[in-house]
Amino acid sequence: MKITLARTAGLVAVFLGLCSGPAQAQQSTEELAKAVQNPIASLISVPIQSNNDFDWGPKGEWLSVNNVQPVIPFSLNDDWDVVTRTILPIISQPGTSSGQGRETGLGDTLFTAFLVPKDSGSWIWGVGPAIQLPTASDSRLGKDEWAAGVSAVALTMPGKWVIGGLVSNVWGIGTDAGNDINLFTFQPFINYNLDGGWYLVSAPILTRDKEAASGQQWTVPIGGGFGRVFRIGSQPVNAQTQLFYNIEKPDIAGVWGLRFQLQFMFPR
């Protein structure tokens, strides 16, 4: 199924309008900062994340992957929640061969539904299925094949810290020969909260494409940055930036990466 950029923007606008309708609970900035750093919190949010590589491809050009990532929790019963997390990438990718121009469009969508206990003690955790949907608008921007697997997350919040990790692996379902999918992703995250909604953060995304050639499978960034939770009127917003250095990468990727994120929160 193909999805246009205009339709995607419209769906995001509708979602934001629906979420902003009810009156929002006035949680403190510090409470919101720790809640938004928990990827499976009972908090509706819409992060818009821009990941930029400034030395990508044979000509060392700019690659941009902009993820729209709505997070929607549901109460299953008195003991369990289900937290859904969808990642819809909008990609602008330079050409990889002579005469090939830049391609901009949608990548493949990743949907995860975490089963989360409402009371798990000092360690918060969740586990559930991960499904990749074939929404790529061009073969250069994704596999455009169905894939499925599992994802899990665990974290703890001692004092001013939020420490944890999110891991997933998806495998192709009936993929064509030469287009197999076996993708591992791990995102450790460490946040230290300061006064006034400010915080320090390190949340690199490590990936291994097990179907890639030997020596081209791993991307391992290190780095971090800072962010702040604040309000625009009554609307709580989380903004952050992080800089990463790839200590392991495919030849096509650049050494440095820069991430910007703007996240709209809708406390219930």
Side-chain angles (χ1 to χ4, degrees):
M1 179 178 62
K2 308 299 183 185
I3 301 176
T4 65
L5 291 176
R7 183 177 296 178
T8 301
L11 290 173
V12 172
V14 170
F15 178 80
L16 289 173
L18 290 173
C19 289
S20 60
Q24 298 169 346
Q26 292 298 306
Q27 290 178 272
S28 72
T29 300
E30 290 74 17
E31 289 173 330
L32 283 171
K34 293 193 76 172
V36 80
Q37 292 159 15
N38 173 4
I40 49 174
S42 184
L43 172 72
I44 297 173
S45 70
V46 183
I48 302 172
Q49 184 185 96
S50 177
N51 297 279
N52 300 275
D53 186 331
F54 299 101
D55 189 23
W56 191 90
K59 297 181 180 179
E61 297 181 271
W62 168 63
L63 169 72
S64 174
V65 180
N66 302 287
N67 294 325
V68 180
Q69 304 180 167
V71 178
I72 307 175
F74 301 93
S75 179
L76 191 61
N77 53 41
D78 292 340
D79 299 316
W80 297 92
D81 287 334
V82 173
V83 179
T84 66
R85 182 172 181 258
T86 305
I87 302 176
L88 175 63
I90 303 170
I91 303 170
S92 181
Q93 178 178 299
T96 56
S97 61
S98 177
Q100 192 177 61
R102 177 174 292 274
E103 183 68 36
T104 299
L106 298 183
D108 293 322
T109 299
L110 182 66
F111 172 82
T112 307
F114 294 98
L115 185 64
V116 182
K118 291 186 176 180
D119 184 7
S120 58
S122 60
W123 278 92
I124 302 166
W125 60 271
V127 64
I131 301 172
Q132 179 175 293
L133 288 71
T135 56
S137 58
D138 187 90
S139 60
R140 289 164 53 193
L141 304 180
K143 294 286 190 178
D144 202 26
E145 298 279 359
W146 287 92
V150 65
S151 186
V153 61
L155 67 143
T156 187
M157 298 183 176
K160 293 179 176 289
W161 295 89
V162 178
I163 303 168
L166 190 154
V167 63
S168 70
N169 204 109
V170 294
W171 295 267
I173 302 173
T175 52
D176 296 332
N179 204 29
D180 292 336
I181 300 170
N182 187 349
L183 182 63
F184 169 82
T185 303
F186 174 53
Q187 184 176 26
F189 50 87
I190 302 175
N191 298 270
Y192 183 76
N193 289 283
L194 307 168
D195 294 335
W198 290 94
Y199 60 90
L200 304 176
V201 57
S202 177
I205 300 175
L206 290 70
T207 61
R208 184 188 181 192
D209 182 353
K210 297 180 183 177
E211 296 298 328
S214 177
Q216 305 297 306
Q217 296 183 350
W218 281 99
T219 302
V220 182
I222 57 171
F226 62 93
R228 189 187 182 196
V229 173
F230 57 96
R231 294 180 186 271
I232 301 175
S234 62
Q235 175 63 58
V237 178
N238 174 36
Q240 66 168 245
T241 185
Q242 297 185 67
L243 179 66
F244 298 103
Y245 176 81
N246 288 322
I247 60 174
E248 179 72 24
K249 66 180 186 65
D251 293 340
I252 200 169
V255 173
W256 294 95
L258 185 62
R259 180 188 303 160
F260 299 101
Q261 180 171 296
L262 192 64
Q263 183 173 8
F264 299 91
M265 295 172 282
F266 304 94
R268 297 185 295 177

